[in-house]
Amino acid sequence: AVFRSQVQRNERNPTWKESFKWRTTKMTTRLTLTVMDKGVVRDTMIGWCVVDLTEPKVEAVDHSLHLENPELESKLADTVLRFSSSFNVAEDVLSARRLSVESAGMFPKRGSIQS
């Protein structure tokens, strides 16, 4: 399933005041988060990061993951996606909140996150 955040306009270091929940199974080993630039005709991928779910943590965990994209490697050198996650074992649900992108380099003015 693909989930999309709201678009953050005119923000070089956007923060999403949204919470996200993903249903998982015992076979789920990772979650890929993709940061997109909202375009008029189509969206462009800025970068992605992978969350390791092989040992999900019940307590809240703060993440700081570097965005990857070989085509934009020099521009993304200091760009990270930060968020907090927790795992509900009874429901097999991963929750994330307080998502933000911090970039010292060039970042689009209209960004969103997909999973």
Side-chain angles (χ1 to χ4, degrees):
V2 174
F3 297 94
R4 291 180 185 233
S5 70
Q6 294 181 2
V7 174
Q8 297 297 312
R9 299 184 188 282
N10 299 317
E11 291 290 336
R12 294 286 182 199
N13 293 296
T15 298
W16 288 267
K17 296 177 181 176
E18 300 175 59
S19 294
F20 300 91
K21 292 185 178 185
W22 296 274
R23 183 156 308 279
T24 64
T25 68
K26 298 206 184 312
M27 302 295 290
T28 307
T29 59
R30 67 184 187 164
L31 171 68
T32 302
L33 299 173
T34 306
V35 177
M36 305 293 290
D37 179 24
K38 179 75 175 163
V40 176
V41 176
R42 67 179 192 142
D43 297 346
T44 304
M45 182 182 57
I46 299 302
W48 69 88
C49 61
V50 177
V51 181
D52 180 8
L53 299 178
T54 54
E55 294 183 30
K57 307 291 186 228
V58 176
E59 68 276 1
V61 176
D62 291 327
H63 301 270
S64 180
L65 302 171
H66 286 276
L67 290 180
E68 299 179 35
N69 184 340
E71 295 176 12
L72 299 173
E73 190 171 350
S74 62
K75 290 183 178 183
L76 293 177
D78 296 321
T79 304
V80 294
L81 177 64
R82 297 185 194 281
F83 63 97
S84 179
S85 72
S86 60
F87 188 73
N88 181 324
V89 177
E91 297 179 10
D92 286 331
V93 172
L94 176 72
S95 299
R97 59 189 178 88
R98 295 191 335 250
L99 285 87
S100 67
V101 172
E102 296 178 12
S103 174
M106 182 72 169
F107 190 78
K109 287 190 169 187
R110 297 173 306 274
S112 67
I113 294 180
Q114 296 182 4
S115 67

